[in-house]
């Protein structure tokens, strides 16, 4: 869907972004209505593209200004007949429509809080629920952001183009942040049947690689971001068992980790070391490298990981980062210190609907032998978790706590 939208936006203009989304959606509906009876076409993507383009043409023909630009628009439509056709681009331009549209969505005139939401919706096909989970906010809030962003693009007539010079550089941070959100949604899906959506991770890595190869994007931060994706993505094959259940790092079969991706990640970490800047991407990549280079769970350098988190919270003081740091604290200094680190999180209330917050508390309390308290935390986490794999894992941890509680001898009543 994202590629179809981006190609149509390139033809008809960024101010018709909403139209592009609508006709692609209609093309998908028509495919579901006709393919079961007529059969799947030899090239489904080309069928969808052709159908969407005809629908778009029908709509714009009704516009007064279409007659002024009719030859130009028809020429562009005819020129993009092939779904996989190489398109002519100017020297130095980014040769990918989806990345072009990503830069359009991250235009300075689009509110910063709306840029990533619009990109994830338009290019990546994520639903409002998935985007809301990524931002730890409500679906209603995301819907408002999307509406405002589309209106701003239409009102300001923001062009579908790759800017140059300082203007391009100013948009890079928004593009990188969006690429990371896309990868994160693939690495740990917020909704659906599966924990992992590998196709999103692959697309995020592909787009980030493209960005790193472009002169404007060839910067230490971009290479650090790509290293982070590769190092985390290398563990995808071992993240779940044959039944789709979550496997923690200490439970994973490390022989299944993708060593080629790890090597690529380390290589890009080296490229990210140019200059004096240390970004959050550098630190996240360093943490991932500590896990990937450990031969087993026991040899993981948790002190180095904690040191990296100490530096990370200075850059990003979000409660989620602080919660992850508490896990590192517990692995270095014990679960009691981990609980203290959780208590010290200043914006802890923001985690009240985050299932991992209660899962972490449950793990700490379980390690301390407080199974009754741990069970209450796992029960709360289970109530908040949406994925079946998450629910299965938490249900198992809850049963383990309850099993230990049942096996404990009843307290003596003493003498009257």
């Amino acid at each position: 869907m994202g590629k179809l939208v981006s190609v149509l936006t390139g033809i008809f203009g960024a101010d018709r972004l909403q139209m592009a989304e609508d006709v692609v959606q209609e093309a998908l509906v028509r495919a579901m209505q006709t393919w079961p009876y007529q059969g799947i076409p030899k090239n489904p993507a080309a069928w969808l593209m052709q159908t969407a383009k005809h629908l778009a043409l029908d709509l714009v023909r009704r516009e007064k200004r279409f007659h002024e630009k009719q030859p130009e628009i028809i020429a562009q439509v005819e020129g993009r007949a092939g779904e996989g056709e190489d398109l002519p681009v100017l020297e130095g331009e980014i040769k990918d429509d989806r990345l072009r549209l990503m830069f359009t969505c991250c235009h300075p005139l689009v509110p910063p809080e709306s840029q990533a939401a619009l990109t994830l919706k338009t290019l990546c096909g994520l639903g409002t629920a998935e985007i809301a989970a990524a931002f730890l906010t409500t679906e209603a809030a995301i819907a408002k952001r999307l509406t405002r962003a589309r209106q701003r693009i239409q009102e300001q007539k923001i062009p579908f183009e790759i800017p140059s010079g300082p203007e391009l550089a100013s948009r890079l941070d928004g593009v990188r942040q969006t690429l990371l959100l896309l990868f994160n949604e693939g690495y740990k899906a917020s909704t659906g049947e599966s924990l992992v959506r590998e196709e999103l991770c692959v697309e995020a890595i592909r787009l980030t690689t493209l960005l790193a190869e472009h002169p404007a994007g060839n910067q230490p931060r971009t290479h650090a971001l790509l290293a982070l994706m590769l190092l985390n993505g290398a563990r995808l094959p071992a993240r779940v068992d044959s039944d789709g259940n979550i496997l923690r790092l200490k439970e994973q079969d490390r022989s299944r980790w993708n060593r080629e991706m790890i090597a690529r990640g380390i290589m890009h970490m080296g490229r990210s070391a140019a200059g004096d800047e240390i970004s959050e991407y550098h630190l996240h990549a360093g943490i991932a490298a500590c896990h990937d280079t450990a031969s087993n769970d026991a040899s993981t350098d948790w002190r180095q990981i904690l040191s990296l988190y100490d530096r990370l919270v200075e850059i990003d003081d979000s409660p989620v980062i602080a919660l992850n740091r508490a896990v590192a604290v517990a692995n270095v200094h014990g679960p009691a210190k981990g609980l203290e680190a959780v208590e010290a999180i200043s914006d802890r209330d923001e985690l009240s609907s985050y299932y991992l917050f209660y899962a972490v508390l449950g793990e700490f309390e379980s390690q301390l032998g407080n199974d009754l308290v741990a069970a209450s935390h796992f029960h709360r986490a289970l109530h908040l978790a949406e994925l079946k794999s998450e629910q299965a894992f938490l249900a198992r941890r809850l049963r383990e706590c309850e099993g230990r509680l049942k096996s404990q001898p009843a307290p003596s009543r003493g003498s009257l």
Side-chain angles (χ1 to χ4, degrees):
M1 177 177 174
K3 185 170 185 179
L4 299 179
V5 172
S6 59
V7 171
L8 290 171
T9 304
I11 295 173
F12 296 103
D15 58 326
R16 291 193 179 97
L17 176 58
Q18 182 65 64
M19 182 202 72
E21 292 184 65
D22 291 342
V23 296
V24 168
Q25 190 66 41
E26 177 61 24
L28 292 171
V29 170
R30 294 193 179 188
M32 289 187 289
Q33 291 172 340
T34 59
W35 290 1
Y37 303 99
Q38 299 179 5
I40 299 176
K42 291 183 179 179
N43 190 337
W47 187 98
L48 289 168
M49 176 61 74
Q50 202 66 21
T51 301
K53 285 192 290 189
H54 286 315
L55 289 168
L57 273 174
D58 288 342
L59 289 174
V60 298
R61 280 193 176 104
R62 301 171 193 169
E63 299 179 13
K64 183 181 294 185
R65 61 179 172 152
F66 169 77
H67 299 288
E68 302 172 7
K69 296 187 175 183
Q70 183 175 9
E72 177 186 342
I73 292 177
I74 291 178
Q76 289 190 59
V77 172
E78 295 297 331
R80 294 194 176 198
E83 190 274 334
E85 184 180 345
D86 289 333
L87 304 175
V89 292
L90 299 176
E91 184 67 26
E93 286 184 320
I94 297 176
K95 302 177 181 180
D96 190 284
D97 275 330
R98 298 185 75 178
L99 205 52
R100 288 172 185 271
L101 185 52
M102 192 171 289
F103 272 94
T104 301
C105 293
C106 292
H107 194 283
L109 291 176
V110 177
E113 70 276 8
S114 301
Q115 292 176 2
L118 181 62
T119 306
L120 292 173
K121 173 67 175 175
T122 303
L123 283 116
C124 309
L126 299 189
T128 53
E130 295 168 308
I131 301 171
F135 286 98
L136 297 181
T137 187
T138 64
E139 291 186 53
I142 293 299
K144 289 180 181 178
R145 292 184 191 182
L146 292 171
T147 300
R148 285 197 299 267
R150 293 189 186 102
Q151 288 176 343
R152 184 62 61 87
I153 288 176
Q154 186 171 11
E155 291 168 357
Q156 300 295 327
K157 300 188 184 304
I158 293 174
F160 181 79
E161 64 180 11
I162 301 297
S164 59
E167 188 180 350
L168 174 58
S170 68
R171 298 193 209 177
L172 277 174
D173 282 338
V175 171
R176 282 189 288 247
Q177 184 62 29
T178 300
L179 289 168
L180 178 59
L181 287 170
L182 174 61
F183 179 85
N184 287 344
E185 179 60 29
Y187 190 76
K188 209 290 296 177
S190 54
T191 60
E193 294 292 320
S194 303
L195 174 72
V196 172
R197 296 178 63 180
E198 188 172 356
E199 75 281 2
L200 296 184
C201 293
V202 170
E203 179 64 4
I205 290 172
R206 187 186 75 82
L207 289 171
T208 307
T209 301
L210 198 65
L211 182 62
E213 291 172 350
H214 189 271
N218 182 16
Q219 297 180 359
R221 279 186 178 225
T222 309
H223 288 287
L225 173 61
L226 184 53
L228 163 63
M229 292 180 180
L230 290 165
L231 292 168
N232 280 332
R235 300 195 296 270
L236 286 176
R239 289 205 70 214
V240 296
D241 63 18
S242 57
D243 295 322
N245 296 315
I246 299 174
L247 294 175
R248 291 172 290 183
L249 274 170
K250 64 181 181 182
E251 299 165 340
Q252 293 179 16
D253 178 1
R254 299 185 179 222
S255 67
R256 298 186 62 199
W257 290 0
N258 189 321
R259 296 296 163 183
E260 181 182 348
M261 287 182 69
I262 293 174
R264 283 181 61 199
I266 297 298
M267 182 264 293
H268 282 285
M269 278 193 69
R271 293 186 180 181
S272 75
D276 301 325
E277 180 190 31
I278 298 294
S279 68
E280 64 272 27
Y281 303 129
H282 288 83
L283 297 171
H284 278 296
I287 292 167
C290 287
H291 289 299
D292 284 13
T293 56
S295 57
N296 52 57
D297 184 66
S299 61
T300 303
D301 190 349
W302 280 103
R303 291 188 179 277
Q304 175 63 13
I305 291 174
L306 178 56
S307 176
L308 291 168
Y309 269 119
D310 286 340
R311 299 182 67 181
L312 185 57
V313 294
E314 296 176 0
I315 299 175
D316 182 354
D317 61 351
S318 74
V320 173
I321 294 297
L323 182 65
N324 291 336
R325 178 186 173 276
V327 174
V329 169
N331 276 278
V332 175
H333 301 296
K337 292 295 183 180
L339 285 172
E340 290 180 11
V342 172
E343 288 294 325
I345 298 176
S346 57
D347 299 323
R348 198 167 62 253
D349 290 346
E350 294 183 23
L351 300 173
S352 60
S353 60
Y354 188 41
Y355 87 95
L356 281 177
F357 173 63
Y358 301 99
V360 167
L361 291 174
E363 290 293 342
F364 292 166
E365 295 288 2
S366 177
Q367 292 171 26
L368 290 169
N370 301 326
D371 286 312
L372 186 60
V373 179
S376 69
H377 287 309
F378 284 130
H379 187 273
R380 178 62 175 160
L382 179 59
H383 175 73
L384 292 170
E386 296 186 5
L387 293 179
K388 288 184 178 179
S389 56
E390 296 168 344
Q391 293 168 351
F393 169 77
L394 293 165
R396 186 176 76 246
R397 296 295 291 121
L398 179 58
R399 287 194 301 270
E400 290 170 357
C401 289
E402 292 175 340
R404 286 192 295 269
L405 286 169
K406 290 178 181 178
S407 65
Q408 293 176 6
S412 173
R413 298 178 63 185
S415 57
L416 297 175

